[in-house]
Amino acid sequence: MKKNSFKSLTVALSVLLTSLMVCSVTVNAATPTGKRLKDVQSRVMVGTEFSSGFTNMDSTFFNTATPEFNIVTAENCMKWSDLEPSQNNFTWTEGDRLVNWAKANNYTVHGHTFVWYNQTPNWVQNLNANAMEAAMNNHIDKVMAHYKGKIPIWDVANECFEDNGTYRNSFWYRVMGKSYIEKAFIRARAADPSVKLIYNDYNLEYTGPKSNAAYEMLKDFKSRGIPVDGIGFQMHLDIQYAIDYNDFAKNMQRFADLGLEIYITEMDVRVSSNTNSAELDKQASYYKNIIEKCMAQPAVKAIQFWGFTDKYSWVPGTFQGRDNALLFDKNYNPKSAYYAVQAALATTPVPKVIYGDLDGNGSVDAIDYSLLKQYLLGAITKFPAENGLTVADVNASGSIDSLDFVIMKQYLTGLITKFPAQE
Ligand code: G3I
């Protein structure tokens, strides 16, 4: 009898202890003050990645992340190794979970990624050039068809350059030559013309050999009509390395001048594993300065972090002694970095777009019409006011399309006095 009571007491105590341990995570997680990051402003999307198996995460994970962001990337489950582990056998389960979760929570999904040297199965790597190209085409076709209407942005090519600016010596490059990159973009555009196609890489943030090489490639793509819509700056930073923020702004501008959209795709800022408040303040300043520059650049469409809580991050597994790179700590409490991002999103001026003001003089006037005529007749391919802004996108559909010209005609002939995007 006594033995049984002792046993019950032990069980009760261990249940109490377990619930206290579970509670401690919940109790520790402080709801951040102020507006959630996605609500601070409406010009750029703000996002995170979710790892595979995210549906099994604890409730604090979702309570913290869900209200904070409005765009999500799959950390791993939409990579080739996960989607097509053996030839033409696709496994959609995890990707579909992410897409369904995103739909239920009003998130945009950023697809990641088609051609990459990493996380691509051996069966692809061992093909000859023709077979590899056919496999690439099939992969892009099937994945884009499966996610049609559900994933509006895809990283088509990922990390194709070495840091010294030469083409990465990957199996893609060795077998197909550098043309694998443009072939992937052409195929992706044909598979689904409505999707934004991105070139994504790390260490592109500053001018220098790698960023110059990506710039030259994309400039060449634009001049030859190879379809590409945006550049992804991964932005994996470490407070050990100084940043020239003006150079970052200058670098973004030259990509914007090519007519490219800019996505910050995987931002995190590493500090020590055993960090301290001085390091965390320095980390916050990196986040603040980068995001202020992004907010001042109209071509920036999204700022996405590679995770949101230090509890789940690729950093400690890759960089010995480095960790704590994200906005929330391991107990989901917002860090100084969180408040720095919130402030940077809130206080930086949002550039004003006057749709239809093609020369950028502040109004839609006669010279805009003469420019439009030149554009329609093919005499110019770009409007003077377009520094990454789609100012001729007068119906605000995200692209300059035939509808814009129909509306423009109505405007010119006096049928309407305002464009829908100006309502
Ligand atoms: O799925 C296997 C599992 O079956 C196996 O038991 C386990 C043993 O190590 O490995 C698991 O695979 C791991 C995979 O993540 C899924 O968890 C790989 O080892 C691991 O290398 C892989 O790491 C990912 C890394 O890309 C690969 O390069 C990280 O989670 C992911 O955060 C990271 O993300 C990349 C972006 O895609 C591109 N830009 C850089 C960024 C950070 O490296």
Side-chain angles (χ1 to χ4, degrees):
M1 192 63 180
K2 266 188 178 168
K3 217 176 182 180
N4 275 349
S5 334
F6 180 71
K7 202 174 164 192
S8 317
L9 185 65
T10 319
V11 170
L13 273 175
S14 81
V15 168
L16 183 67
L17 202 63
T18 312
S19 37
L20 277 176
M21 281 161 68
V22 171
C23 280
S24 73
V25 172
T26 315
V27 169
N28 280 345
T31 305
T33 51
K35 283 189 181 169
R36 300 289 80 87
L37 300 182
K38 72 172 184 339
D39 301 322
V40 171
Q41 49 74 54
S42 58
R43 191 178 70 77
V44 302
M45 294 181 279
V46 187
T48 182
E49 52 83 339
F50 278 174
S51 47
S52 306
F54 76 98
T55 40
N56 300 323
M57 295 298 191
D58 55 86
S59 60
T60 318
F61 179 94
F62 291 105
N63 292 343
T64 309
T66 312
E68 205 65 59
F69 306 106
N70 53 15
I71 181 167
V72 66
T73 308
E75 185 184 18
N76 288 301
C77 74
M78 292 184 188
K79 291 171 178 172
W80 195 315
S81 52
D82 289 46
L83 285 184
E84 194 188 0
S86 64
Q87 190 153 17
N88 213 25
N89 286 319
F90 288 83
T91 46
W92 307 113
T93 322
E94 279 295 324
D96 286 359
R97 275 190 191 137
L98 187 70
V99 161
N100 292 336
W101 181 90
K103 189 169 183 218
N105 291 285
N106 290 324
Y107 270 55
T108 298
V109 180
H110 183 140
H112 176 79
T113 177
F114 296 145
V115 289
W116 190 23
Y117 74 93
N118 201 355
Q119 287 177 288
T120 306
N122 285 338
W123 71 261
V124 184
Q125 305 194 24
N126 294 331
L127 299 171
N128 66 32
N130 287 339
M132 191 177 280
E133 185 172 339
M136 180 186 86
N137 290 342
N138 183 54
H139 185 83
I140 291 173
D141 290 353
K142 294 273 168 64
V143 176
M144 290 186 88
H146 184 80
Y147 288 118
K148 199 170 176 68
K150 296 174 179 167
I151 303 188
I153 308 159
W154 269 103
D155 293 337
V156 173
N158 196 42
E159 303 173 5
C160 301
F161 290 98
E162 309 280 359
D163 282 346
N164 66 8
T166 57
Y167 281 93
R168 182 184 287 278
N169 184 19
S170 66
F171 67 90
W172 290 110
Y173 183 74
R174 287 191 299 274
V175 176
M176 287 178 65
K178 66 174 184 174
S179 71
Y180 81 90
I181 307 172
E182 64 189 69
K183 283 178 176 164
F185 277 97
I186 292 167
R187 193 71 183 193
R189 176 64 92 236
D192 186 347
S194 71
V195 168
K196 302 270 186 198
L197 308 179
I198 310 296
Y199 176 71
N200 188 48
D201 211 331
Y202 60 87
N203 287 351
L204 285 188
E205 293 81 34
Y206 338 100
T207 54
K210 187 171 192 172
S211 162
N212 294 348
Y215 174 78
E216 290 304 330
M217 178 184 79
L218 294 171
K219 188 173 162 197
D220 171 54
F221 280 11
K222 282 287 183 187
S223 74
R224 291 190 292 121
I226 308 293
V228 53
D229 301 301
I231 174 110
F233 292 94
Q234 292 186 6
M235 197 69 78
H236 292 292
L237 306 178
D238 188 316
I239 60 162
Q240 290 181 99
Y241 310 113
I243 296 191
D244 181 342
Y245 298 106
N246 290 329
D247 184 57
F248 168 57
K250 196 172 102 190
N251 193 34
M252 279 198 292
Q253 187 59 53
R254 67 175 173 160
F255 285 99
D257 287 343
L258 291 179
L260 292 169
E261 295 186 342
I262 298 174
Y263 293 77
I264 305 301
T265 49
E266 308 181 11
M267 185 169 185
D268 48 23
V269 183
R270 307 185 289 273
V271 298
S272 308
S273 306
N274 296 316
T275 191
N276 55 46
S277 59
E279 278 196 354
L280 292 173
D281 286 348
K282 188 168 178 186
Q283 175 188 56
S285 76
Y286 276 51
Y287 274 108
K288 175 176 175 291
N289 291 322
I290 290 290
I291 289 171
E292 281 182 358
K293 293 295 184 197
C294 290
M295 294 307 289
Q297 171 50 258
V300 172
K301 300 298 173 197
I303 298 170
Q304 302 169 251
F305 307 103
W306 207 236
F308 65 97
T309 165
D310 294 332
K311 191 172 179 184
Y312 303 108
S313 163
W314 70 293
V315 168
T318 305
F319 299 96
Q320 214 188 354
R322 312 303 286 167
D323 198 356
N324 306 307
L326 295 163
L327 304 186
F328 291 83
D329 69 16
K330 291 185 170 128
N331 290 323
Y332 297 102
N333 293 306
K335 295 156 62 179
S336 310
Y338 173 90
Y339 291 105
V341 169
Q342 190 187 46
L345 288 169
T347 56
T348 24
V350 176
K352 193 166 177 331
V353 183
I354 301 175
Y355 293 98
D357 177 22
L358 308 176
D359 62 359
N361 73 349
S363 66
V364 182
D365 50 27
I367 193 166
D368 296 304
Y369 309 141
S370 107
L371 284 169
L372 181 64
K373 192 170 163 192
Q374 292 171 40
Y375 180 84
L376 292 172
L377 295 175
I380 55 170
T381 55
K382 209 174 144 181
F383 299 109
E386 282 191 357
N387 279 331
L389 289 172
T390 42
V391 292
D393 177 21
V394 294
N395 67 348
S397 66
S399 64
I400 302 164
D401 49 30
S402 55
L403 187 56
D404 294 303
F405 300 136
V406 172
I407 292 174
M408 191 63 84
K409 196 169 162 191
Q410 293 170 357
Y411 186 91
L412 293 172
T413 52
L415 277 177
I416 55 169
T417 54
K418 260 171 125 180
F419 298 120
Q422 290 176 320
E423 303 287 339

